[in-house]
Amino acid sequence: MAAIQRIAKNVGVLFIAQIITYTLGFFITMYTARYLGAGGFGIISLALSITGIFGVFSDLGLSTLMVREVAREKFLTDKYVVNLSILKVLLSILTFGLVAATVTIIGYSELVSTVIYLITLSTVLNAFTLVLNSVFQANEKMEYISVNYVLNSALMAVGTAVGIYYALDVVYFASVYVVSTLLVLILATILYIWKFSLPKLEIDLSFWKPTLSEAWPFGVSTALSNIYYFADSVILSVMVSTEVVGWYNASYRIIAVMLFIPILLNTVLFPVMSQFYVTSKDYFRLVYEKYFKYMVMIGIPIGVGTTLLADKIILLIFGGAYAPSIIALQILIWALVISFLSGAFTLLLQTSNKQMVITKITSINVVLNVVLNLILIPYFSYVGSSVVTVATQLSAFLLSLKAVSERGYGLTRKERSYLAKTVFASMIMGVFLVYFRDLNLFVLILLGTAIYFIVVCLVNGFDKEDIAIVKNIINK
């Protein structure tokens, strides 16, 4: 149970940090979108999409590999820190080259190009922070990662407030990203030196090739995932307008906030499951099964509730100018739900050295996503893109389920049982939300959540293992 207590501690630390981060992020997004309007917000969103696609080349999966390997062999820390930092200098040059080529080929305006280059610089700086955060993650020191998260959000919030107060333009808002990531990198470096000392200069060129060979499937998977998530915004900017990109991304930002739950758990569980894979297959399976169960119990009610309350959510956060975003949110939320359900499959494959399987699955869905977007966007604009996102996310879920089932995992009878119980409890909650939808949004969310968990308890959605886990966490 020591592992469970460690997980609980790290989840707790990251959860607090993420609550602070996403609370600040909520206000940053809301005020930035309202201040810049759909056009300006669309430019920022487009820049984030392009750097999201090409920014992966500044890391190429090296940080993910580093977490897995250092979690197993701590003595490799200095070698990874030094050699990966040097490699990332070269990869950063490659990243800037790819972004510049894309901007030139598409022919964006000078204003849009400037914003894209600034956001790219912030992405490159963040790639070096990832090296240090990987050490913290591998050593299960999530409190240091949490400090970096909170600082970045606080700096972004201050920068946003200053920009709005002095009525500055979209280029200033892009510059805030650069300053924030630079200061976070400085803090991460100070924390690393303080806790782990200066790394020994162990430049090993023979280490580079095998490391890149092992890391590239992680990097390709991330690159393909980013193309999957961001290509629609780029296509919308070319085929429709940046204003439509703004409407679409208003909904996407809400989805991104909710993604903090699986991201948080993945961050905590990745080093744990990497160790269990080589030390205890029983614990490896237990963590996987519980992860899947809890994502089901969280994801499905979020999908039902957001679909029914989308209009209230959009109008509260972004205002009437973003009313077209309502239907996008109602559709896109189900991509989030499916992402919750498939998170355990992805983590299992990554930590069991099957990252190539994820790469193949992601490749299939990226092609499907881009082709369908090119077909549907001319006719249905951002609504068609929203449908494509859900369809391809479902495809990824089914292929991942097939992959883990072939390896002796998947959906057991017990797992299908609590899946059904979750759907039933969510439907009861949904009836309440429809009948009392005239109530205040926050009251609806609180009462709906309470009703959902009461029904889950009544249908025995929590078993003895869940209760034992909670008791151990409380005792700790």
Side-chain angles (χ1 to χ4, degrees):
M1 287 299 178
I4 292 175
Q5 292 168 347
R6 268 198 335 271
I7 292 171
K9 184 267 290 184
N10 286 321
V11 167
V13 169
L14 277 179
F15 182 76
I16 293 171
Q18 294 285 25
I19 288 295
I20 297 171
T21 297
Y22 283 104
T23 299
L24 291 173
F26 171 83
F27 289 105
I28 291 168
T29 299
M30 178 174 69
Y31 287 111
T32 300
R34 285 172 176 259
Y35 172 75
L36 294 176
F41 185 64
I43 293 174
I44 290 287
S45 299
L46 172 62
L48 290 170
S49 298
I50 289 178
T51 54
I53 292 172
F54 293 109
V56 68
F57 290 98
S58 64
D59 182 74
L60 213 58
L62 292 168
S63 298
T64 304
L65 176 69
M66 181 177 175
V67 174
R68 192 183 74 187
E69 298 305 314
V70 174
R72 296 172 180 174
E73 305 289 351
K74 299 294 191 298
F75 68 89
L76 293 173
T77 299
D78 283 357
K79 175 173 280 192
Y80 270 98
V81 169
V82 172
N83 288 277
L84 263 59
S85 296
I86 297 172
L87 274 170
K88 287 196 174 190
V89 172
L90 303 176
L91 293 173
S92 296
I93 296 172
L94 171 64
T95 301
F96 264 106
L98 292 172
V99 170
T102 302
V103 168
T104 302
I105 292 170
I106 295 178
Y108 286 121
S109 67
E110 183 179 350
L111 174 63
V112 174
S113 300
T114 301
V115 172
I116 291 172
Y117 290 136
L118 286 170
I119 299 295
T120 301
L121 177 57
S122 74
T123 300
V124 166
L125 291 171
N126 186 61
F128 291 94
T129 303
L130 283 176
V131 174
L132 304 177
N133 279 348
S134 295
V135 177
F136 301 148
Q137 186 180 350
N139 285 273
E140 300 180 55
K141 300 295 183 182
M142 305 306 174
E143 56 269 32
Y144 305 133
I145 298 176
S146 299
V147 170
N148 292 334
Y149 287 167
V150 172
L151 176 63
N152 184 69
S153 296
L155 291 170
M156 287 293 298
V158 171
T160 299
V162 170
I164 294 173
Y165 183 81
Y166 288 103
L168 300 175
D169 62 7
V170 68
V171 173
Y172 164 81
F173 282 84
S175 302
V176 172
Y177 283 85
V178 178
V179 174
S180 298
T181 50
L182 176 60
L183 293 177
V184 169
L185 174 58
I186 293 171
L187 174 64
T189 303
I190 293 170
L191 287 173
Y192 179 83
I193 294 172
W194 177 40
K195 287 297 179 181
F196 295 91
S197 76
L198 279 170
K200 297 177 181 178
L201 195 60
E202 298 182 30
I203 300 175
D204 185 354
L205 298 180
S206 64
F207 178 73
W208 291 16
K209 184 176 179 180
T211 300
L212 286 169
S213 298
E214 188 73 10
W216 77 262
F218 289 117
V220 171
S221 294
T222 303
L224 293 173
S225 295
N226 287 357
I227 292 172
Y228 168 79
Y229 282 111
F230 297 123
D232 42 15
S233 292
V234 178
I235 296 172
L236 282 169
S237 75
V238 174
M239 290 188 166
V240 193
S241 68
T242 54
E243 184 178 34
V244 171
V245 174
W247 291 337
Y248 183 67
N249 275 273
S251 298
Y252 235 129
R253 291 295 182 90
I254 295 174
I255 302 299
V257 168
M258 298 183 194
L259 273 172
F260 93 88
I261 299 171
I263 290 173
L264 182 154
L265 290 174
N266 276 14
T267 302
V268 172
L269 295 178
F270 189 84
V272 175
M273 286 189 69
S274 295
Q275 293 176 49
F276 282 158
Y277 181 69
V278 296
T279 60
S280 175
K281 289 298 191 292
D282 289 337
Y283 276 120
F284 182 78
R285 178 180 289 274
L286 175 64
V287 174
Y288 157 75
E289 290 176 348
K290 290 302 177 184
Y291 182 23
F292 178 79
K293 176 178 181 177
Y294 299 148
M295 287 299 94
V296 167
M297 298 181 73
I298 295 171
I300 293 176
I302 286 178
V304 172
T306 303
T307 301
L308 297 174
L309 302 176
D311 56 339
K312 289 177 173 288
I313 295 170
I314 290 293
L315 295 178
L316 172 67
I317 299 174
F318 299 106
Y322 285 85
S325 303
I326 294 171
I327 188 171
L329 179 58
Q330 290 174 319
I331 298 170
L332 286 171
I333 191 62
W334 292 101
L336 175 77
V337 173
I338 299 168
S339 177
F340 271 45
L341 303 187
S342 59
F345 305 153
T346 300
L347 186 62
L348 182 145
L349 293 169
Q350 285 181 330
T351 54
S352 60
N353 301 341
K354 300 298 180 184
Q355 58 266 29
M356 197 63 190
V357 175
I358 301 173
T359 302
K360 292 177 181 178
I361 292 172
T362 309
S363 300
I364 293 170
N365 285 284
V366 165
V367 173
L368 182 64
N369 182 274
V370 172
V371 170
L372 290 178
N373 268 306
L374 290 172
I375 293 172
L376 294 183
I377 284 178
Y379 299 99
F380 303 103
S381 188
Y382 66 99
V383 175
S385 192
S386 301
V387 173
V388 170
T389 299
V390 176
T392 48
Q393 191 67 53
L394 178 60
S395 171
F397 170 80
L398 295 174
L399 291 172
S400 298
L401 175 59
K402 180 177 181 294
V404 297
S405 297
E406 290 172 349
R407 288 161 177 78
Y409 301 90
L411 301 182
T412 65
R413 182 177 179 181
K414 182 173 69 173
E415 290 165 336
R416 290 194 296 270
S417 173
Y418 58 68
L419 179 59
K421 292 175 181 178
T422 299
V423 171
F424 174 74
S426 298
M427 290 174 63
I428 298 298
M429 179 196 71
V431 171
F432 167 80
L433 294 178
V434 170
Y435 193 76
F436 293 98
R437 66 170 285 109
D438 291 334
L439 292 174
N440 177 272
L441 175 61
F442 296 104
V443 173
L444 281 171
I445 292 173
L446 289 174
L447 292 178
T449 302
I451 290 170
Y452 168 74
F453 279 106
I454 289 171
V455 176
V456 168
C457 291
L458 290 175
V459 297
N460 297 317
F462 296 105
D463 56 28
K464 294 179 180 179
E465 288 179 343
D466 299 319
I467 295 172
I469 289 171
V470 172
K471 285 182 177 179
N472 271 277
I473 292 172
I474 293 173
N475 291 336
K476 177 65 174 178

